[in-house]
């Protein structure tokens, strides 16, 4: 609930106890409308769930939704059927007790849908084993079978349940669904033989004709066309747009096989369904004596075959009545009207009892054989209060049932309230409410109640009629404040009550019942000879339904109303021993239209569903109650002493908190485990303060969160950088170490090579020698003599001495060659002359050595020639010569 306190302006309050004007029906309707228009079909009154039929598919029944509600605190999520179902289940598991969920509302309000949804919820969310899967399937598939035989199209609902249903789902100690049991109440048998305009018979008839295969129909003596059967066409709407009989037939057939029906069972079952259709087509005619006779024997032959009864005996039983006169039995012929009555009575009886057989059959397939203790959750899908234009015996029973259930609800709610107050040590404040026990007594009291009077009339000898019954009522309960007839009414009311009517002032409003047919319906008699025929049937189901022992029992069977009263008593007993949850379904409009909220219709239902009464009871004390822990958890931020954490007991924390907020003493009470807040406005003020505070907290949280995110990001980056650095350094160090290792190896090799350098080339010195050679050659390349006069030469290492010498020679030779090539012819002559001159002057001329480098000059050449000649002369004469020469290399 807390979740949507926030959105209350738009979607209203999720819990009616939080309405300010809780006694105002208009405020109630406004809230309901506001929510309905937002597709919020569920609203709480405390723990009671109010549901408004949306008449459209809503996206709120998905498996995800189921998981959402699973195990979550009742008030934490928006109201939902699943919350009710889950709450019952959780409490059952933890406290190991039994529960029931009572679903009520008028026809078409969504009761059956709700009960199916709850069943699906358990099927999906409860733990189970593969073995139990079959139980789960049977539980789910029991629905289509019961709906086929017990539901029909009515004016108010295309799939209206024409019986009351109570289904127990049994759970073992692990919370696994292990079995189930169904009780059915008051199936509307009259529908088998009569339907109002716009209504249909039970679905199964149409499904069989539409979906049954040719061979089956042939075997049953049926034609596919429903128009051929008198029991199917009174409503003139055998075909309904919203119903797919063919498809439904398939589902029912499949369900039969899962629910353990044998082929024989199915054969007998459809034999009965077909027999009912054949019965409806039997026509009686009057013979000359005014007695009923059957002219066309076709139908009766089929019935005799399908029910396994003797043809002539059946024919006789349908047209005669056995009367016991003294100790003799006399057959008295029936007139046509009585024959039709007998025919319809058989049809109703066999259909009604077959339905009971069906429920028993389903029960035996759902039964859990192991005897360990089980806990149960019961689902009660029962007809709501009915007010039709003409209200008959059925409406009387239905409305009586609703009175009883209303009483149960009020008692249990009051009891629960009182128990809670006692448990919490809060003083009990008496709650004023309307106790409808007075109406229940009017109906059910022994000897004095309406049912007893009706039974008396049915059983007494003599000519009892519906009118004599009415007179008896006036006589015996005429002075009751909740009973009126035309005779008893005042002038004003008299006009609205017919002479055959009586009116009851139910808790939900006035209902006028037409007494016509009460006796007949209450008696529900089947002539004895017809019963005998059925008891001797060869159809196994009919034999199970009509026991021979019934014939021996001379006591009159209980009347329908008494049977119903007794079954209701035992139902109430069953319910009283369990923990209750309630779902009240509301029908929003008469046209099955989505989104249409008919104020008048809904106001009416709010009234007769007792919602205002329930709200008054829930609100009479306190509007809101919560465990201290939950209250503190939600609102602790409103008080500095409790925020962010309260370390003491929760109750003390709450006390500090509300003192800080400023609650007045009359606004609250503190129980043992819970705080009780009297007025919704107190809670809303707290909620508003919380909202405001939340915004503050949210911005703080956001800032903190952003800071945290930033820090986290920075830390991440930093760590990444450090890691990267470490990796990089490692890589560098590894590279360095590798380099060093390599260098050491090289140096080692070098030293080794140096030590062994003198040895011939071997692996130890190979590299060193090569290196030295290489280095020497490289160096030599840079120190090669540049001309022939340059006598320098790089000193070679010892291992290259020989090579060096060779290289030097090659080099000199190359230089010389180069020099020689560069010498011109003129120069060559000059040099030759110089050689000659040298030969002449070496050692003989002073300054010879200095003149070697001097080139010859042309002027001097002449002189040289002269000199040569002179020299020759001198040499011949022994004289000396000392000319100065130009330098020349
Ligand atoms: N929660 C829902 N969501 C959608 N449609 C729904 C819902 N509940 C009911 N309906 C619609 O309303 C129709 C009538 O509902 P349902 O048969 O459950 O009514 P009921 O109260 O069981 O009536 P009756 O008393 O006649 O059996 C359904 O066939 C379905 O179309």
């Amino acid at each position: 609930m807390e979740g949507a306190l926030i959105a209350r302006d738009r979607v209203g309050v999720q819990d009616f106890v939080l309405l300010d004007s809780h006694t105002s029906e208009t405020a109630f309707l406004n809230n309901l409308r506001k929510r309905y228009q937002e597709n919020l079909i569920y609203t709480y009154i405390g723990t009671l769930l109010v549901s408004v039929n949306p008449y459209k598919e809503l996206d709120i029944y998905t498996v995800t939704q189921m998981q959402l509600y699973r195990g979550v605190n009742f008030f934490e999520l928006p109201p939902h059927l699943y919350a009710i179902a889950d709450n019952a289940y959780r409490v059952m598991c933890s406290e190991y007790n039994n529960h029931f969920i009572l679903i009520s509302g008028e026809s078409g309000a969504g009761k059956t849908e709700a009960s199916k949804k709850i069943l699906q919820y358990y099927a999906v969310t409860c733990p189970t084993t593969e073995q139990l899967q079959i139980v789960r399937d049977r539980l789910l598939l029991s629905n289509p079978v019961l709906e086929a035989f017990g539901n029909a199209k009515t004016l108010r609902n295309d799939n209206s349940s024409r019986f009351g249903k109570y289904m127990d789902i049994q759970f073992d100690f692990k919370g696994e669904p292990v079995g189930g049991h169904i009780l059915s109440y008051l199936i509307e048998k009259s529908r088998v033989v009569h339907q109002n305009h716009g209504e249909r018979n039970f679905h199964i008839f149409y499904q069989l004709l539409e979906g049954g295969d040719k061979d089956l129909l042939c075997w049953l003596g049926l034609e596919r066309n429903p128009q051929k059967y008198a029991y199917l066409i009174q409503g003139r709407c055998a075909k309904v747009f919203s119903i797919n009989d063919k498809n439904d037939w398939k589902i029912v057939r499949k369900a039969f096989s899962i629910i353990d029906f044998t082929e024989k069972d199915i054969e007998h079952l459809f034999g009965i369904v077909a027999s009912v259709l054949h019965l409806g087509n039997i026509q009686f005619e009057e013979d000359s004596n005014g007695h009923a006779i059957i002219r066309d024997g076709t139908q009766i032959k089929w019935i005799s075959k399908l029910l396994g009864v003797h043809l002539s005996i059946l024919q006789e039983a349908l047209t005669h009545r056995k009367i016991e006169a003294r100790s003799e039995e006399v057959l008295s012929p029936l007139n046509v009207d009585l024959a039709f009555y007998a025919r319809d009575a058989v049809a109703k009886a066999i259909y009604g009892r077959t339905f009971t057989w069906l429920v028993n059959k389903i029960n035996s397939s759902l039964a859990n054989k192991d005897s360990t203790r089980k806990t149960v959750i019961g689902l009660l899908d029962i007809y709501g209060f009915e007010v039709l234009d003409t209200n008959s015996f059925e409406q009387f029973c239905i409305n009586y049932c609703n009175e009883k259930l209303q009483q149960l609800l009020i008692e249990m709610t009051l009891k629960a309230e009182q128990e809670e107050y006692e448990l919490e040590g809060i003083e009990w404040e008496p709650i004023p409410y309307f106790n409808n026990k007075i109406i229940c007594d009017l109906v059910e009291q022994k000897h004095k109640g309406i049912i007893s009077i009706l039974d008396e009339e049915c059983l007494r000898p003599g000519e009892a009629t519906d009118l004599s019954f009415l007179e008896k009522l006036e006589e015996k309960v005429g002075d009751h404040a909740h009973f009126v007839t035309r005779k008893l009414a005042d002038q004003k009311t008299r006009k609205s009550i017919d002479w055959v009517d009586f009116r009851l002032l139910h808790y939900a409003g006035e209902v006028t019942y037409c007494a016509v047919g009460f006796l007949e319906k209450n008696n529900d008699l089947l002539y004895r000879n017809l019963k005998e025929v059925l008891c001797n049937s060869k159809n196994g189901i009919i034999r199970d339904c009509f026991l021979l022992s019934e014939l021996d029992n001379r006591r009159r069977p209980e009347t329908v109303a008494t049977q119903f009263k007794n079954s209701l008593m035992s139902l109430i007993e069953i319910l009283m021993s369990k923990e209750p949850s309630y779902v009240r379904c509301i029908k929003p409009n008469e046209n099955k239209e989505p989104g249409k909220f008919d104020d008048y219709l809904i106001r009416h239902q709010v009234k007769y569903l007792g919602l205002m009464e329930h709200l008054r009871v829930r609100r009479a004390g306190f509007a809101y109650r919560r465990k201290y822990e939950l209250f503190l958890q939600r609102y602790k931020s409103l008080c500095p002493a409790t925020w962010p954490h309260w370390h003491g007991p929760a109750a003390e924390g709450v006390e500090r908190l509300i003192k800080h907020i400023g609650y007045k003493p009359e606004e609250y009470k503190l129980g043992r485990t819970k705080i009780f807040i009297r007025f919704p406005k107190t809670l809303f003020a707290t909620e508003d303060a919380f909202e405001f505070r939340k915004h503050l907290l949210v911005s703080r949280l956001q800032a903190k969160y952003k800071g945290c995110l930033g820090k986290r990001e920075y830390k991440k980056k930093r760590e990444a950088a450090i890691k990267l650095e470490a990796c990089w350094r490692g890589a560098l160090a590894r590279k360095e170490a590798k380099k060093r290792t390599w260098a050491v190896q090289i140096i080692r090799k070098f030293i080794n090579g140096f030590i062994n350098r003198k040895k011939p080339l071997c692996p130890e010195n190979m590299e060193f020698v090569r290196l030295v050679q290489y280095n020497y050659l490289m160096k030599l390349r840079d120190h090669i003599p540049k001309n022939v006069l340059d006598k320098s030469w790089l000193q070679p290492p010892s291992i290259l001495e020989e090579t060096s010498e060779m290289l030097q020679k090659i080099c000199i030779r190359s230089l010389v060659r180069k020099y020689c090539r560069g010498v011109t012819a003129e120069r060559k002559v000059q040099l030759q002359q110089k050689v000659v001159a040298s030969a002449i002057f070496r050692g003989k001329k002073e300054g010879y050595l200095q003149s070697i480098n001097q080139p010859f000059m042309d002027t001097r050449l002449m002189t040289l020639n002269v000199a040569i000649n002179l020299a020759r002369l001198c040499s011949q004469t022994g004289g000396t010569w000392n000319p100065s020469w130009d330098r020349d290399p």
Side-chain angles (χ1 to χ4, degrees):
M1 169 167 78
E2 278 81 351
L5 279 174
I6 309 151
R8 62 182 179 269
D9 290 337
R10 186 174 57 85
V11 299
V13 290
Q14 284 192 165
D15 192 333
F16 283 108
V17 293
L18 297 177
L19 275 183
D20 261 339
S21 39
H22 68 278
T23 49
S24 153
E25 225 171 63
T26 309
F28 191 99
L29 280 176
N30 286 345
N31 191 50
L32 209 58
R33 190 186 313 102
K34 214 183 260 180
R35 294 179 62 72
Y36 185 68
Q37 277 156 2
E38 294 280 339
N39 283 332
L40 301 169
I41 61 166
Y42 297 122
T43 313
Y44 292 132
I45 305 178
T47 51
L48 177 147
L49 182 76
V50 180
S51 155
V52 187
N53 188 346
Y55 278 123
K56 64 179 173 188
E57 293 308 318
L58 297 179
D59 192 23
I60 55 171
Y61 303 110
T62 55
V63 174
T64 323
Q65 280 279 320
M66 294 184 190
Q67 300 297 0
L68 188 69
Y69 278 87
R70 192 176 171 194
V72 172
N73 191 321
F74 190 75
F75 294 107
E76 273 174 30
L77 291 170
H80 202 298
L81 267 176
Y82 295 158
I84 297 278
D86 192 76
N87 191 51
Y89 179 75
R90 297 289 143 205
V91 179
M92 178 197 75
C93 289
S94 61
E95 295 177 12
Y96 215 55
N97 54 5
N98 298 322
H99 288 251
F100 74 87
I101 302 173
L102 193 162
I103 308 163
S104 56
E106 78 168 59
S107 179
K111 302 181 293 291
T112 310
E113 290 298 317
S115 76
K116 282 196 270 190
K117 285 183 164 86
I118 293 176
L119 204 59
Q120 274 162 2
Y121 178 79
Y122 289 138
V124 171
T125 59
C126 291
T128 190
T129 60
E130 220 162 274
Q131 262 177 325
L132 291 176
Q133 191 64 37
I134 187 84
V135 177
R136 186 193 292 217
D137 290 346
R138 284 178 183 174
L139 278 168
L140 290 173
L141 283 173
S142 63
N143 262 328
V145 174
L146 286 178
E147 282 190 13
F149 283 83
N151 286 26
K153 184 220 178 297
T154 65
L155 283 174
R156 309 158 115 221
N157 183 2
D158 291 352
N159 182 32
S160 180
S161 315
R162 308 313 300 159
F163 65 105
K165 187 172 102 183
Y166 175 76
M167 180 186 211
D168 262 341
I169 310 164
Q170 299 162 343
F171 295 87
D172 66 4
F173 70 98
K174 288 179 272 176
E176 293 168 351
V178 291
H181 189 83
I182 295 167
L183 292 174
S184 70
Y185 297 95
L186 200 73
I187 175 126
E188 189 194 32
K189 285 188 294 187
S190 59
R191 181 168 295 273
V192 177
V193 298
H194 175 75
Q195 308 95 45
N196 291 327
H197 190 77
E199 301 200 342
R200 291 208 314 181
N201 209 322
F202 292 100
H203 294 324
I204 190 64
F205 294 111
Y206 307 91
Q207 289 175 2
L208 173 62
L209 295 187
E210 184 78 23
D213 61 42
K214 226 162 129 193
D215 292 346
L216 176 64
L217 294 189
C218 189
W219 183 79
L220 296 170
L222 296 176
E223 290 179 53
R224 204 171 283 288
N225 183 2
Q227 302 300 333
K228 299 270 180 187
Y229 299 97
Y231 279 165
L232 302 187
I233 54 171
Q234 292 162 41
R236 300 210 183 94
C237 65
K239 240 333 335 72
V240 182
F241 166 72
S242 63
I243 301 175
N244 186 339
D245 290 311
K246 203 168 183 174
N247 223 22
D248 293 345
W249 165 259
K250 284 186 199 148
I251 298 171
V252 171
R253 284 294 283 135
K254 186 180 160 217
F256 277 141
S257 53
I258 293 195
I259 309 176
D260 234 7
F261 278 65
T262 62
E263 276 310 308
K264 206 78 206 145
D265 288 333
I266 296 171
E267 191 181 289
H268 286 161
L269 192 59
F270 291 124
I272 294 168
V273 174
S275 298
V276 171
L277 292 180
H278 288 306
L279 266 172
N281 281 3
I282 292 179
Q283 292 301 318
F284 299 97
E285 288 176 20
E286 216 172 42
D287 68 3
S288 51
N289 300 321
H291 300 151
I293 52 161
I294 302 170
R295 281 231 194 276
D296 181 2
T298 324
Q299 316 295 337
I300 202 147
K301 271 187 207 145
W302 278 112
I303 300 169
S304 138
K305 175 200 150 183
L306 296 171
L307 295 188
V309 293
H310 204 280
L311 177 63
S312 56
I313 298 178
L314 176 65
Q315 190 155 358
E316 186 189 78
L318 281 169
T319 49
H320 292 77
R321 186 179 172 190
K322 208 179 252 181
I323 299 171
E324 287 180 43
R326 292 185 203 121
S327 55
E328 264 180 72
E329 285 185 340
V330 185
L331 266 184
S332 155
L334 299 175
N335 63 26
V336 171
D337 286 347
L338 282 176
F340 275 118
Y341 171 81
R343 177 199 73 170
D344 288 349
V346 178
K348 287 190 281 183
I350 61 175
Y351 193 85
R353 294 198 191 193
T354 301
F355 184 75
T356 311
W357 175 89
L358 200 68
V359 173
N360 292 338
K361 181 79 191 166
I362 291 174
N363 280 339
S364 58
S365 107
L366 291 179
N368 186 276
K369 313 278 179 319
D370 110 55
S371 59
T372 54
R373 205 189 139 201
K374 316 276 179 321
T375 47
V376 303
I377 294 179
L379 293 179
L380 181 62
D381 166 8
I382 205 131
Y383 10 63
F385 209 80
E386 260 185 27
V387 191
L388 308 180
D389 293 338
T390 307
N391 300 294
S392 183
F393 179 74
E394 288 84 2
Q395 281 68 48
F396 172 76
C397 292
I398 287 171
N399 292 344
Y400 161 55
C401 167
N402 276 274
E403 286 287 356
K404 291 292 286 178
L405 292 174
Q406 172 67 9
Q407 201 190 3
L408 177 90
L409 174 102
I410 293 279
E411 269 182 23
M412 288 191 108
T413 315
L414 278 174
K415 201 172 123 220
E417 284 279 301
Q418 193 161 359
E419 270 174 8
E420 183 163 34
Y421 283 20
E422 268 167 28
L423 214 71
E424 291 294 325
I426 287 179
E427 210 177 302
W428 169 248
E429 301 170 19
I431 299 169
Y433 70 99
F434 170 65
N435 189 347
N436 66 336
K437 186 172 181 299
I438 183 166
I439 307 170
C440 293
D441 288 347
L442 169 65
V443 177
E444 69 187 9
Q445 228 178 10
K446 260 193 184 159
H447 310 302
K448 287 189 245 163
I450 296 175
I451 291 178
S452 290
I453 299 166
L454 179 63
D455 283 358
E456 252 176 53
E457 274 305 280
C458 286
L459 305 179
R460 81 174 163 85
E463 267 300 298
T465 62
D466 295 323
L467 275 180
S468 67
F469 159 62
L470 203 58
E471 280 164 18
K472 275 271 165 58
L473 283 181
E474 283 168 342
E475 187 189 310
K476 294 204 167 168
V477 293
D479 57 349
H480 197 286
H482 291 262
F483 179 85
V484 196
T485 60
R486 189 180 173 105
K487 197 168 130 191
L488 304 169
D490 55 31
Q491 197 76 23
K492 213 172 106 203
T493 0
R494 190 166 296 162
K495 281 186 215 142
S496 59
I497 307 177
D498 208 328
W499 284 111
V500 287
D501 292 346
F502 66 93
R503 181 174 286 174
L504 295 187
L505 309 183
H506 286 286
Y507 79 91
E510 298 173 348
V511 185
T512 308
Y513 299 97
C514 172
V516 177
F518 262 60
L519 259 64
E520 184 205 315
K521 285 177 180 169
N522 190 38
N523 266 327
D524 192 32
L525 282 181
L526 188 63
Y527 294 142
R528 187 177 166 80
N529 47 337
L530 275 172
K531 238 187 228 172
E532 274 172 9
V533 172
L534 295 173
C535 286
N536 291 309
S537 162
K538 291 203 173 59
N539 181 308
I541 299 176
I542 293 291
R543 240 193 358 260
D544 283 351
C545 293
F546 294 87
L547 299 174
L548 279 166
S549 55
E550 210 179 302
L551 296 174
D552 302 335
N553 190 353
R554 293 281 147 181
R555 280 187 57 204
R556 266 189 87 118
E558 273 181 338
T559 61
V560 174
T562 302
Q563 273 180 40
F564 186 63
K565 184 179 97 176
N566 293 341
S567 60
L568 216 53
M569 296 283 189
S570 62
L571 173 68
I572 297 289
E573 225 167 85
I574 292 172
L575 300 183
M576 287 292 263
S577 65
K578 298 184 163 92
E579 293 298 315
S581 305
Y582 304 97
V583 179
R584 295 295 212 211
C585 300
I586 289 180
K587 185 175 171 168
N589 60 70
E590 287 290 8
N591 315 325
K592 304 160 195 166
E593 235 178 82
K596 190 172 167 202
F597 192 89
D598 181 336
D599 274 36
Y600 177 77
L601 187 75
I602 294 174
R603 190 182 285 268
H604 188 58
Q605 293 171 70
V606 166
K607 194 168 173 209
Y608 77 59
L609 285 171
L611 298 183
M612 295 310 294
E613 196 65 28
H614 186 79
L615 177 57
R616 236 152 52 77
V617 170
R618 279 300 307 226
R619 264 297 297 274
F622 298 88
Y624 176 92
R625 63 208 66 182
R626 275 296 175 279
K627 288 233 177 260
Y628 287 130
E629 290 77 8
L630 294 177
F631 189 83
L632 189 64
Q633 180 61 28
R634 185 167 180 79
Y635 297 117
K636 63 182 178 179
S637 60
L638 296 178
C639 167
T642 51
W643 178 255
H645 298 295
W646 172 257
H647 294 292
E652 283 172 25
V654 170
E655 223 173 328
R656 282 285 285 276
L657 173 65
I658 55 175
K659 206 167 164 191
H660 182 79
I661 304 173
Y663 277 16
K664 295 193 185 78
E666 67 275 13
E667 285 181 317
Y668 71 94
K669 279 235 160 83
L670 296 177
R672 287 201 181 94
T673 64
K674 290 179 185 172
I675 174 170
F676 290 74
I677 297 178
R678 199 177 292 277
F679 313 111
K681 65 175 187 321
T682 314
L683 180 70
F684 289 149
T686 313
E687 187 60 32
D688 289 343
F690 173 57
E691 254 325 279
F692 182 72
R693 177 89 187 134
K694 214 157 65 176
H695 279 117
L696 269 175
L697 287 175
V698 164
S699 19
R700 240 186 251 170
L701 272 172
Q702 264 178 352
K704 196 134 199 157
Y705 182 66
K706 275 185 197 154
C708 274
L709 278 187
K711 250 187 221 163
R712 198 186 300 164
E713 193 61 19
Y714 167 75
K715 232 170 146 182
K716 233 160 104 181
K717 275 187 192 155
R718 195 165 168 263
E719 268 167 22
I722 290 172
K723 246 186 217 167
L724 219 72
E725 255 179 27
C727 280
W728 179 243
R729 280 207 205 106
L732 279 185
R734 272 193 299 279
K735 199 171 161 195
E736 190 63 23
K738 217 167 154 187
K739 215 163 129 188
R740 236 180 267 143
T741 316
W742 173 81
V744 165
Q745 276 168 0
I746 295 293
I747 292 168
R748 196 176 287 151
K749 258 190 206 169
F750 188 84
I751 294 170
N752 217 7
F754 180 77
I755 294 167
N756 297 301
R757 69 188 181 281
K758 299 262 167 68
K759 285 186 187 168
L761 213 56
C762 63
E764 282 82 37
N765 65 6
M766 173 94 75
E767 274 190 49
F768 177 79
V769 168
R770 295 261 182 265
L771 182 72
V772 168
Q773 285 174 343
Y774 175 80
N775 282 347
Y776 174 71
L777 290 177
M778 285 296 132
K779 230 174 173 177
L780 188 60
R781 186 182 65 182
D782 299 334
H783 293 90
I784 290 264
K786 299 285 185 297
N787 57 55
V788 283
L789 292 182
D790 185 355
K791 294 287 181 276
S792 65
W793 189 257
L794 201 63
Q795 184 63 36
S798 56
I799 43 166
L800 280 177
E801 271 170 358
E802 199 178 332
T803 315
S804 169
E805 212 169 292
M806 282 163 69
L807 282 172
Q808 192 176 15
K809 274 183 190 163
I810 291 167
C811 179
I812 290 171
R813 205 175 299 151
S814 153
L815 285 173
V816 168
R817 192 181 299 134
K818 194 175 160 195
Y819 179 78
C820 289
R821 280 197 190 134
V823 174
T824 59
E826 188 190 346
R827 179 96 175 121
K828 195 174 174 181
V829 173
Q830 260 187 4
L831 280 176
Q832 280 170 345
Q833 283 173 350
K834 246 190 178 178
V835 171
V836 175
S838 167
I840 299 171
F841 295 115
R842 186 195 304 249
K844 293 176 189 155
K845 191 175 178 291
E846 207 179 305
Y848 168 75
L849 280 176
Q850 289 86 344
S851 73
I852 285 174
N853 292 336
Q854 304 284 327
F856 288 119
M857 284 194 285
D858 285 346
T859 50
R860 286 202 186 158
L861 209 56
M862 289 299 296
T863 318
L864 180 66
N865 282 334
V866 174
I868 291 169
N869 290 331
L870 277 176
R872 274 189 198 131
L873 278 174
C874 280
S875 67
Q876 287 167 5
T877 58
T880 52
W881 181 258
N882 194 10
S884 68
W885 292 40
D886 289 331
R887 290 219 169 255
D888 203 13

